[in-house]
Amino acid sequence: MTPPPPQPQPPGPDPAADSAADPCPGPGPLVVLFGATAGALGPDLGSDETDLILLVWQTVEPRRRQVGTLHKSLVRAEAAALSPQCCEASGLSADSLARAEPLDKVLQQFSQLVSAEVALLSGGPYMLCTDGQQLLRQVLHPEASRKNLVLPDTFFSFYDLRREFHNQHPSICPTKDLTVATMAQDLGLETDATEDDFGVWEVKTMVAIILHLLEGPDGQLFSKPEVVKQKYETGPCSKADMVDSETVIRARGLPWQSSDQDVARFFKGLNIARGGVALCLNAQGRRNGEALVRFVDSEQRDLALQRHKHHMGVRYIEVYKATGEEFVKIAGGTSLEVVRFLSREDQVILRLRGLPFSAGPADVLAFLGPECPVTGGADGLLFVRHPDGRPTGDAFALFACEELAQAALRRHKGMLGKRYIELFRSTAAEVQQVLNRYASSPLLPTLTAPLLPIPFPLVAGTGRDCVRLRGLPYTATIEDILSFLGEIAADIRPHGVHMVLNQQGRPSGDAFIQMTSAERALAAAQRCHKKVMKERYVEVVPCSTEEMSRVLMGATLGRSGMSPPPCKLPCLSPPTYATFQATPALIPTETAALYPSSALLPATRVPATPTPVAYYPGPATQLYMNYTAYYPSPPVSPTTVGYLTTPPATLASAPTSVLSQPGALIRMQGIPYTAGMKDLLSVFQAYQLAPDDYTSLMPVGDPPRTVLQAPKEWVCL
């Protein structure tokens, strides 16, 4: 029930005259405000996303020490169910709330009553005063946002009575532990213990505390109000910025189409730092439903954590703690071009994807049209490029207001030339992430040697003298590839077919073929591209020997260029051993002529100066590497040479009769303990190096084992 408006009081002293006579006039009128929801009360107020059901307020004129009429108003809640805690504390029922006014009507009535009462007491603007920050930040602002209500400006600044009390009595207890009862008790105030009307006792006691604090000598009371930001401010973030981890949270479960403004609206009532919303992207450059949010202080962050599993539309959002390093990694950048682009404030950012590579600023401006002009014309466009300057087909555009951005979004999937263009809302953090991703992904990155050295030499060619076969059936063999190429197979270099295996050692559907010249590679691509092999069409595209070598070393070659193999864990290089020169292999003269001299071992076995070289593990051991990229298959030809030198410890443990045999030793490292002789021989089946008996397979330097154990390393002859 709402009491009638206050009756006019007898004319008193002129407020202006009082202000002129008083050297410290103090704060203006204060409106003490108390509220409750249908759910949790106290420090958890607003944490359960329930609606407001009660408002109680009273006006105080600090300079005259006058108090207005106390008002109490019920608010109709959309969810009529009340929590047991609320029913017990308030004594309200669902029936009484069903007869109450909705929130917008109650707020309108509140503004009218307070304005009339303040005009009678002293005039001028007034400020709200609450017990803590939950009522405004966690209840009123979020609920008004959900119901699309516009709050009056008076609800965007207020005084926190707990903080004002702590400023004058800092030694009593922390601000978060204060309550109305403890503050009154510490001040020695007598309260009406017989008052059982819910909310009335709290407001009366708060008024008494305010009047008592104003009697003190501290003139700084009620001078610095709390401020609620009305609008989220965008801005850039630098990699050099230091971000306090106590101010960052991670929001998970966001709708894919949500923008930074949607995230800011979810945290309505809390102050987000400028440029403090960073939407995260996945490996494909698309949003993954997560965002890092940075607040102005730790108190705002703690309130944000209470919104765990609150709803954005029909989705609930999980809120967790995060670190400042995570925020800088996502939102930070180093490009001066991006900083200049994002330096314009209050701009709406849109992302354009799928632009023709030949499109320039004039083409994009013409595509958007004069009805949605870009801020600054061509200066308001930022094109994303590869490190070598090639365009990626992505660009960002700035618009001065939401209306212009909405007009531009209507051009979504419009045609520019022969391509349709996608338009999305974007953020400053997304601009940084996209630019950082392309800047940190060189076209042909240099892998740190000796990461994955090739165990056999590749004959270097000039130009794009190789072809890549993509989309092969997993059952395809070398014979199938030769049959697929037809007469073009005659132009393949000796041992020039290289199958590519995946992480599990299985066919990946890719293969590389070295042709005799770039012209023959182009002819193979033109003749066989999208030709069918076993009910699958196979893409045949030219590539260079260098690109083929990179892929065989673990990189990935996509339509956007080359990228290094990603590592889920810190990866160590293969172990190193001292180099020994070996005896020559008995290779036919016509076979040896196919290979450069560097592929053959020297003629004498003389201990050389130990030089660290990487030992290349056999194909079977690739299962134990940390990479998730492709790995080279064994050489195609059974006569392929390029033996690796053997570690000295292996030579020392080998019998003299074995070392006197012509040939070279090969050490296999990382063999499963369950592997037997047949498993090892099957690895060398294509090499025709299997001996007639098992005497040439020798375990290396292991302690004695039981019958059920097999050696980890073997030496094959």
Side-chain angles (χ1 to χ4, degrees):
M1 179 180 299
T2 303
Q7 299 297 325
Q9 299 181 0
D14 185 9
D18 287 349
S19 299
D22 189 357
C24 296
L30 300 176
V31 179
V32 180
L33 184 64
F34 173 84
T37 66
L41 302 176
D44 296 328
L45 184 68
S47 61
D48 51 6
E49 207 176 6
T50 53
D51 290 343
L52 187 72
I53 62 170
L54 175 68
L55 278 181
V56 184
W57 69 90
Q58 189 172 22
T59 305
V60 179
E61 214 299 317
R63 289 172 293 189
R64 297 184 179 182
R65 306 298 191 265
Q66 292 181 346
V67 178
T69 306
L70 189 142
H71 301 265
K72 180 178 180 179
S73 180
L74 298 181
V75 184
R76 185 194 305 167
E78 293 182 358
L82 301 178
S83 67
Q85 180 185 9
C86 179
C87 291
E88 181 181 356
S90 64
L92 299 174
S93 64
D95 294 337
S96 59
L97 293 178
R99 297 189 297 268
E101 297 287 345
L103 179 60
D104 55 339
K105 298 293 185 182
V106 173
L107 293 178
Q108 183 180 2
Q109 188 180 50
F110 169 84
S111 299
Q112 293 174 354
L113 292 173
V114 170
S115 298
E117 197 165 65
V118 168
L120 290 175
L121 291 177
S122 62
Y126 61 89
M127 294 285 292
L128 301 179
C129 182
T130 63
D131 173 30
Q133 306 198 22
Q134 283 84 353
L135 176 59
L136 288 179
R137 294 192 184 274
Q138 297 285 74
V139 178
L140 269 173
H141 281 281
E143 184 173 348
S145 178
R146 291 195 303 267
K147 297 180 178 180
N148 294 320
L149 301 180
V150 179
L151 291 176
D153 292 341
T154 53
F155 287 91
F156 288 88
S157 59
F158 65 98
Y159 291 115
D160 183 356
L161 183 58
R162 298 184 186 183
R163 183 161 296 176
E164 300 297 332
F165 178 87
H166 188 267
N167 290 340
Q168 195 173 81
H169 304 275
S171 60
I172 293 179
C173 66
T175 304
K176 63 180 180 179
D177 297 333
L178 292 173
T179 63
V180 175
T182 57
M183 289 187 289
Q185 182 179 359
D186 293 334
L187 295 177
L189 299 178
E190 296 183 0
T191 58
D192 187 3
T194 61
E195 182 63 65
D196 59 353
D197 195 357
F198 181 63
V200 174
W201 180 88
E202 286 80 0
V203 171
K204 289 183 177 180
T205 306
M206 291 169 64
V207 171
I209 294 173
I210 291 173
L211 295 177
H212 188 279
L213 293 177
L214 291 173
E215 295 175 356
D218 193 351
Q220 299 299 320
L221 289 175
F222 301 103
S223 59
K224 295 181 180 179
E226 305 290 328
V227 177
V228 180
K229 288 187 176 181
Q230 299 192 31
K231 186 178 181 181
Y232 167 66
E233 301 174 352
T234 61
C237 176
S238 172
K239 289 286 188 182
D241 290 348
M242 299 297 294
V243 178
D244 186 3
S245 295
E246 296 299 319
T247 63
V248 182
I249 61 95
R250 179 184 294 272
R252 182 179 301 165
L254 299 170
W256 308 116
Q257 70 275 13
S258 59
S259 65
D260 55 349
Q261 297 295 337
D262 297 322
V263 176
R265 184 172 181 176
F266 175 79
F267 291 105
K268 189 71 173 180
L270 305 180
N271 293 342
I272 300 176
R274 183 172 182 266
V277 177
L279 297 174
C280 302
L281 306 180
N282 58 18
Q284 288 74 38
R286 302 178 184 274
R287 296 171 187 170
N288 61 4
E290 295 188 5
L292 294 172
V293 185
R294 175 188 179 189
F295 295 90
V296 296
D297 54 41
S298 59
E299 185 177 13
Q300 306 289 312
R301 195 281 305 266
D302 294 339
L303 293 175
L305 291 173
Q306 293 184 356
R307 301 196 185 183
H308 180 60
K309 291 195 174 181
H310 283 203
H311 288 76
M312 179 185 292
V314 297
R315 298 177 62 92
Y316 72 84
I317 309 301
E318 299 175 351
V319 182
Y320 304 99
K321 292 182 179 180
T323 64
E325 291 78 7
E326 290 176 313
F327 182 84
V328 173
K329 182 179 179 180
I330 295 297
T334 57
S335 173
L336 295 179
E337 183 182 11
V338 177
V339 173
R340 288 193 296 267
F341 177 77
L342 298 175
S343 61
R344 300 178 176 88
E345 298 182 358
D346 300 330
Q347 298 292 317
V348 182
I349 306 174
L350 295 185
R351 180 179 180 181
L352 292 82
R353 190 167 59 196
L355 294 171
F357 294 152
S358 60
D363 301 316
V364 176
L365 294 177
F367 167 76
L368 295 172
E371 61 274 8
C372 44
V374 176
T375 302
D379 294 336
L381 295 174
L382 177 64
F383 288 87
V384 184
R385 301 182 183 277
H386 289 287
D388 59 358
R390 295 183 298 109
T392 64
D394 281 23
F396 295 92
L398 296 176
F399 296 90
C401 61
E402 186 67 29
E403 290 74 16
L404 294 178
Q406 288 287 353
L409 288 173
R410 298 190 190 101
R411 297 286 295 155
H412 179 60
K413 292 195 174 180
M415 300 300 295
L416 176 56
K418 296 182 179 180
R419 298 181 61 89
Y420 72 86
I421 311 302
E422 298 176 297
L423 282 87
F424 308 94
R425 292 183 178 275
S426 186
T427 66
E430 184 174 350
V431 176
Q432 297 279 25
Q433 289 181 78
V434 173
L435 269 294
N436 290 343
R437 175 173 283 107
Y438 282 104
S440 60
S441 300
L443 183 61
L444 288 173
T446 302
L447 298 179
T448 303
L451 191 59
L452 281 176
I454 296 297
F456 54 92
L458 296 175
V459 181
T462 58
R464 303 177 69 82
D465 58 347
C466 301
V467 291
R468 178 187 184 184
L469 278 65
R470 186 165 52 201
L472 293 169
Y474 294 141
T475 58
T477 62
I478 303 298
E479 291 74 16
D480 295 328
I481 294 178
L482 297 178
S483 175
F484 171 79
L485 294 175
E487 60 184 22
I488 300 294
D491 298 318
I492 300 177
R493 290 179 182 269
H495 320 290
V497 180
H498 307 280
M499 303 290 288
V500 182
L501 307 181
N502 61 14
Q503 184 181 4
Q504 289 75 34
R506 299 172 182 173
S508 64
D510 281 22
F512 286 92
I513 300 177
Q514 289 181 284
M515 309 299 292
T516 55
S517 64
E519 292 75 14
R520 301 311 299 163
L522 181 60
Q526 292 175 345
R527 183 173 301 183
C528 300
H529 183 58
K530 292 193 175 182
K531 186 178 175 181
V532 176
M533 177 192 296
K534 295 183 179 180
E535 299 182 354
R536 291 179 61 93
Y537 76 85
V538 180
E539 297 179 355
V540 183
V541 293
C543 67
S544 65
T545 306
E546 184 179 13
E547 290 173 337
M548 178 187 68
S549 303
R550 296 290 186 182
V551 173
L552 296 181
M553 292 170 64
T556 46
L557 177 63
R559 292 179 174 86
S560 59
M562 189 80 68
S563 60
C567 296
K568 295 182 179 179
L569 298 173
C571 187
L572 302 177
S573 299
T576 58
Y577 303 91
T579 304
F580 273 77
Q581 297 175 352
T583 58
L586 297 182
I587 303 172
T589 306
E590 62 274 9
T591 303
L594 298 175
Y595 299 92
S597 58
S598 60
L600 304 178
L601 297 173
T604 58
R605 181 188 297 273
V606 180
T609 303
T611 304
V613 297
Y615 175 75
Y616 184 81
T621 64
Q622 300 298 340
L623 298 175
Y624 305 99
M625 303 295 284
N626 283 331
Y627 296 99
T628 57
Y630 294 156
Y631 296 95
S633 63
V636 173
S637 172
T639 59
T640 299
V641 296
Y643 299 108
L644 298 175
T645 55
T646 307
T650 302
L651 295 175
S653 61
T656 306
S657 59
V658 173
L659 293 178
S660 62
Q661 298 178 10
L665 296 176
I666 298 176
R667 180 177 183 178
M668 300 177 66
Q669 188 179 24
I671 301 298
Y673 291 112
T674 57
M677 296 291 184
K678 292 184 178 180
D679 300 318
L680 299 177
L681 293 175
S682 65
V683 175
F684 296 97
Q685 182 177 2
Y687 296 86
Q688 299 179 358
L689 295 177
D692 295 333
D693 53 28
Y694 298 159
T695 57
S696 297
L697 288 176
M698 179 179 60
V700 177
D702 275 358
R705 299 173 180 269
T706 64
V707 177
L708 298 179
Q709 290 179 316
K712 177 74 171 178
E713 297 182 4
W714 297 78
V715 170
C716 306
L717 300 146

